[in-house]
Amino acid sequence: MHIGLDFGTTNSTAAVFDGTHVRLLELDPSSGDPTVMPSALFIGRNGNLLVGQAAIDHYTAANVGREIVY
């Protein structure tokens, strides 16, 4: 059995090869395609860790109304 991991700058995927078949692993159940996980990591002030689409969703929801400085 072989495992492949593509940790990309935008998305990440992982697969298992059993010698005959390749099977993509479901890394992010909250993503539109659970076999593709956005390469995102969010660590909250309290130490909570979120990855993938959950990290993006939390970050965008928590930063509404913040001033943008150009």
Side-chain angles (χ1 to χ4, degrees):
M1 179 180 297
H2 300 278
I3 297 173
L5 175 64
D6 175 14
F7 187 74
T9 55
T10 303
N11 293 302
S12 298
T13 60
V16 175
F17 179 62
D18 64 8
T20 306
H21 299 93
V22 174
R23 180 175 59 93
L24 292 173
L25 300 176
E26 293 189 2
L27 299 176
D28 190 352
S30 63
S31 181
D33 178 355
T35 63
V36 178
M37 181 179 78
S39 301
L41 172 66
F42 181 88
I43 303 171
R45 293 178 191 262
N46 59 0
N48 286 348
L49 176 69
L50 297 169
V51 296
Q53 191 61 50
I56 294 169
D57 293 345
H58 181 77
Y59 177 80
T60 55
N63 286 290
V64 172
R66 292 184 70 181
E67 180 181 358
I68 299 173
V69 179
Y70 293 95

